Amino acid sequence: MEEIKHGQSKLYIGESEDMPKAEITFQKDTNSNLIVDHTFVSDELRGQGIAGQLVEAMVNYAKQEGVKLVPECSYAKRYIEKHNLHDILA
């Protein structure tokens, strides 16, 4: 498994935050909840479950921070529903 790193408003995989191999991005709303707005996985990492790992890392990050998620990204929304992670939703 690739290392997931924390960046500016994102969790990512790769050498550089500016050129990630995979990422999940977010913004904070007025209640400090995390609005997940985009998930990206490069062709070289596709098919390895990386997007799911990024969503799981985002869920764990939200729990650590004591905030909830607002999944606007369709992949994150489907993943959260599929894995019954409704307790993390704002």
Side-chain angles (χ1 to χ4, degrees), residues 6 26 28 32 34 58-68:
H6 289 260
F26 63 90
K28 290 186 178 183
S32 294
L34 305 178
M58 182 61 66
V59 167
N60 291 333
Y61 177 65
K63 287 179 179 179
Q64 286 176 338
E65 296 295 308
V67 297
K68 300 286 186 177

Side-chain angles (χ1 to χ4, degrees), residues 23-84:
E23 69 181 357
I24 186 166
T25 61
F26 63 90
Q27 299 175 28
K28 290 186 178 183
D29 70 11
T30 56
N31 297 319
S32 294
N33 293 316
L34 305 178
I35 301 170
V36 179
D37 54 13
H38 179 69
T39 304
F40 162 78
V41 177
S42 66
D43 290 341
E44 73 179 274
L45 296 181
R46 287 212 175 123
Q48 299 177 40
I50 298 294
Q53 291 173 26
L54 288 168
V55 175
E56 287 286 343
M58 182 61 66
V59 167
N60 291 333
Y61 177 65
K63 287 179 179 179
Q64 286 176 338
E65 296 295 308
V67 297
K68 300 286 186 177
L69 294 181
V70 179
E72 290 184 352
C73 164
S74 59
Y75 180 84
K77 188 179 292 187
R78 282 192 313 270
Y79 186 93
I80 288 168
E81 289 174 5
K82 180 179 178 182
H83 293 89
N84 199 25

